[in-house]
């Protein structure tokens, strides 16, 4: 009966359990022994952005830049990035989601304590830009 309970917990909660930092190191060791693979670690709360900027370029396009750091003790998949360009009333006039493959050359995984610079060139929208927001997805 206990074995059935453990099997159900692993089946229904397995992915969530693999994302727990306290369990991840132990699960990595178990999987190394059993020749299994855990899903890529992913915890947006352990990513930090030290600064971001959106600047107009001489050709009237824009350059978005940010510095992203993985604070996790494990390598984790680089997140997608949603960039929203706002008008002067704070309303979005353009939005786009960039995959990690679009802002990282190689690889799309961030090592523990790794910091990367993000640089994205953005075509200027027809309306004047009053600001921007970006979200890690």
């Amino acid at each position: 009966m206990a074995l059935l309970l453990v099997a159900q917990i692993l089946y229904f909660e397995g992915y969530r359990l693999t994302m727990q930092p306290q369990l991840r190191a132990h699960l990595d060791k178990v999987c190394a022994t059993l020749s299994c693979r855990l899903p890529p670690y992913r915890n947006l709360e352990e990513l930090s952005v030290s600064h971001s900027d959106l600047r107009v370029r001489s050709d009237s396009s824009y350059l978005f830049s940010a510095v992203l750091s993985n604070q996790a003790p494990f390598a984790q998949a680089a997140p997608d990035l949603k960039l929203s360009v706002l008008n002067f009333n704070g309303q979005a006039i353009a939005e786009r989601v960039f995959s990690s493959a679009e802002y990282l050359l190689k690889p799309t995984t961030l090592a523990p304590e790794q910091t990367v610079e993000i640089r994205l060139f953005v075509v200027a929208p027809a309306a004047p830009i009053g600001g921007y927001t970006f979200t890690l997805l």
Side-chain angles (χ1 to χ4, degrees):
M1 192 74 152
L3 185 59
L4 182 60
L5 177 62
V6 169
Q8 285 180 339
I9 290 171
L10 290 176
Y11 180 77
F12 290 107
E13 299 293 329
Y15 179 79
R16 191 180 64 76
L17 291 173
T18 66
M19 295 301 124
Q20 298 296 319
Q22 306 87 338
L23 298 176
R24 184 72 183 205
H26 301 295
L27 293 172
D28 278 337
K29 290 176 186 174
V30 168
C31 270
T33 303
L34 298 176
S35 298
C36 61
R37 288 185 16 178
L38 295 175
Y41 183 75
R42 209 173 146 87
N43 185 348
L44 294 178
E45 292 177 6
E46 293 184 299
L47 295 172
S48 66
V49 178
S50 59
H51 81 275
S52 67
D53 191 27
L54 183 68
R55 292 185 185 205
V56 67
R57 296 174 31 137
S58 60
D59 63 358
S60 297
S61 66
Y62 286 82
L63 172 64
F64 171 77
S65 61
V67 175
L68 177 66
S69 298
N70 177 17
Q71 304 297 316
F74 312 103
Q76 68 172 312
D80 291 344
L81 173 85
K82 179 180 177 183
L83 179 62
S84 301
V85 178
L86 311 174
N87 64 16
F88 286 101
N89 294 325
Q91 298 169 323
I93 54 176
E95 291 182 330
R96 179 167 172 207
V97 174
F98 295 91
S99 71
S100 59
E102 293 177 282
Y103 67 82
L104 290 177
L105 297 175
K106 286 184 188 175
T108 57
T109 300
L110 299 174
E113 305 301 323
Q114 181 180 3
T115 298
V116 294
E117 183 178 3
I118 299 169
R119 295 172 55 91
L120 298 168
F121 296 96
V122 181
V123 176
I129 294 179
Y132 70 96
T133 63
F134 78 96
T135 308
L136 301 177
L137 303 175

